[in-house]
Amino acid sequence: MGSLHVVSEDEGSEITLNPGIGHTFEPNFEAWVLGDEEDIFSEFNNEGNDDKVWKNHRK
């Protein structure tokens, strides 16, 4: 599986996540898959709601 590269738009900090790694991000970030391999990740978002919203993303 591919890796996910994330850049904070506010701070400019960067991190690369490999398969099996979880991380929390503040709002305002850009992310993309590195390499040609498929990457699958889940996004969890609680915007002050009682219900958690999630999305699955594929490249």
Side-chain angles (χ1 to χ4, degrees):
M1 297 194 94
S3 298
L4 184 69
H5 189 77
V6 183
V7 176
S8 167
E9 292 181 346
D10 294 334
E11 302 171 8
S13 59
E14 299 184 30
I15 187 171
T16 298
L17 302 174
N18 294 312
I21 301 296
H23 196 77
T24 301
F25 301 103
E26 295 295 323
N28 299 321
F29 67 88
E30 292 290 326
W32 57 90
V33 175
L34 298 176
D36 295 329
E37 295 184 48
E38 180 179 68
D39 188 33
I40 302 170
F41 63 96
S42 295
E43 177 181 346
F44 298 87
N45 183 358
N46 184 5
E47 297 177 345
N49 299 324
D50 292 334
D51 299 333
K52 299 236 182 208
V53 178
W54 63 273
K55 300 174 188 173
N56 281 328
H57 301 273
R58 281 183 182 256
K59 176 187 176 199

